[in-house]
Amino acid sequence: MTSSTIIQLNNVDVQLEGKMILSSLSFSIQKGERVALIGPSGAGKTTLLNVLSKFIQANNGTVFIDEKNINDYSNQKQLAKKIGMIRQQYDLIEQLPVIQNVLVGRLADWGFWKSMVSLLVPLDKMVALQA
C-alpha cells in the first residue's frame, strides 16, 4: 500500500445466506482515481459498497480505508468522513435537488442555522460537485 492508496481490499470474501457474493476480491484505488462499478444485477456491486461503508462485514480478508483497517474505525461517523454512500431508492429526499441531497451528508458538521439556510440555498456547492 502506498501513501496515495485510499481504498485497498485484500482477498475479501462475503457470503450471505449461504451464497458466495464476493470471492477473493483484491484491488486498490489511488487518491484522485475515478472508478466505476459496472455489472449485471446480482454481481456484488452493492455488497462491495456495503462492505466499504461497514454496513456489512466481510467474512474473510482485509479492507483498508485511507491506510487504516476498516475495523479500526471505532464509530460510523469517523468512517463516514472517508466513505459516503447515497442509496438511490432509500436515502434521497425527493423534494430536494440532487446537489442538496449530496450535501445532506454535511449536516452533521453544520450547525442548525447553516443547515436550515442550505435547504433554501445550497452551501458548499464545490464540495458537492467534487463528490
Side-chain angles (χ1 to χ4, degrees):
M1 194 168 9
T2 68
S3 62
S4 64
T5 301
I6 195 74
I7 296 174
Q8 177 146 358
L9 278 74
N10 299 316
N11 296 311
V12 169
D13 295 335
V14 175
Q15 189 172 357
L16 299 171
E17 299 176 6
K19 182 178 177 187
M20 188 62 78
I21 308 298
L22 301 176
S23 177
S24 301
L25 183 61
S26 297
F27 68 87
S28 63
I29 299 174
Q30 306 306 306
K31 190 171 188 169
E33 188 175 10
R34 292 179 187 235
V35 176
L37 294 176
I38 59 172
S41 180
K45 302 177 297 291
T46 301
T47 300
L48 172 59
L49 294 174
N50 283 332
V51 167
L52 293 175
S53 301
K54 211 173 166 182
F55 289 134
I56 63 173
Q57 181 101 18
N59 298 96
N60 294 305
T62 55
V63 178
F64 293 91
I65 306 293
D66 203 13
E67 298 185 349
K68 184 175 179 179
N69 189 305
I70 198 167
N71 295 321
D72 293 338
Y73 284 94
S74 56
N75 67 45
Q76 194 65 25
K77 201 172 198 179
Q78 185 185 33
L79 180 61
K81 296 232 182 247
K82 302 288 181 181
I83 297 286
M85 187 162 80
I86 301 172
R87 297 169 188 274
Q88 183 175 337
Q89 293 90 346
Y90 310 110
D91 295 338
L92 296 177
I93 301 168
E94 286 185 39
Q95 297 82 356
L96 295 180
V98 171
I99 195 160
Q100 286 173 306
N101 269 288
V102 171
L103 288 170
V104 164
R106 306 278 297 172
L107 295 178
D109 298 329
W110 294 345
F112 175 78
W113 291 112
K114 188 172 182 178
S115 298
M116 290 295 109
V117 169
S118 188
L119 287 174
L120 302 171
V121 179
L123 303 175
D124 292 351
K125 285 185 181 180
M126 290 310 298
V127 172
L129 292 173
Q130 287 175 345

